Amino acid sequence: APQLTCNQQVKKININTASFKELVKHPYLSYEMVKGIVHFRENIRPFKEVTELLNIELFNAEIFPKIAPYLTVQSPDD
């Protein structure tokens, strides 16, 4: 760790605007999880918070902390 540095911020994926293809490329998101995200935003409503992913059956307290730092619902200008 003392020799490891990172000067860049993590590029977050907007779960309201990212394409299916962009989302499924993420190593922590399975095909089924991405289907759940897309279904929710297209058939119910856009996400207001990333924590709403926990309302989708495939997301649980074990996987959510791993993926949450990489996801957002905000545009870069917000």
Side-chain angles (χ1 to χ4, degrees):
Q3 294 132 0
L4 180 64
T5 61
C6 180
N7 295 333
Q8 294 183 342
Q9 291 182 342
V10 172
K11 182 180 176 196
K12 295 187 176 201
I13 300 170
N14 187 323
I15 57 175
N16 284 326
T17 60
S19 70
F20 187 95
K21 199 175 203 179
E22 290 173 300
L23 289 167
V24 84
K25 285 182 182 178
H26 193 286
Y28 288 138
L29 294 175
S30 70
Y31 182 85
E32 293 300 320
M33 289 174 170
V34 174
K35 279 178 45 178
I37 291 170
V38 173
H39 174 78
F40 185 93
R41 75 179 190 203
E42 290 181 356
N43 297 301
I44 300 171
R45 64 173 167 73
F47 290 91
K48 294 177 184 173
E49 298 179 4
V50 173
T51 56
E52 290 180 298
L53 288 174
L54 291 169
N55 295 327
I56 299 173
E57 187 176 320
L58 295 169
F59 292 89
N60 56 43
E62 183 181 334
I63 190 70
F64 183 77
K66 293 178 183 178
I67 62 168
Y70 304 102
L71 305 176
T72 187
V73 296
Q74 305 293 321
S75 67
D77 300 331
D78 287 350

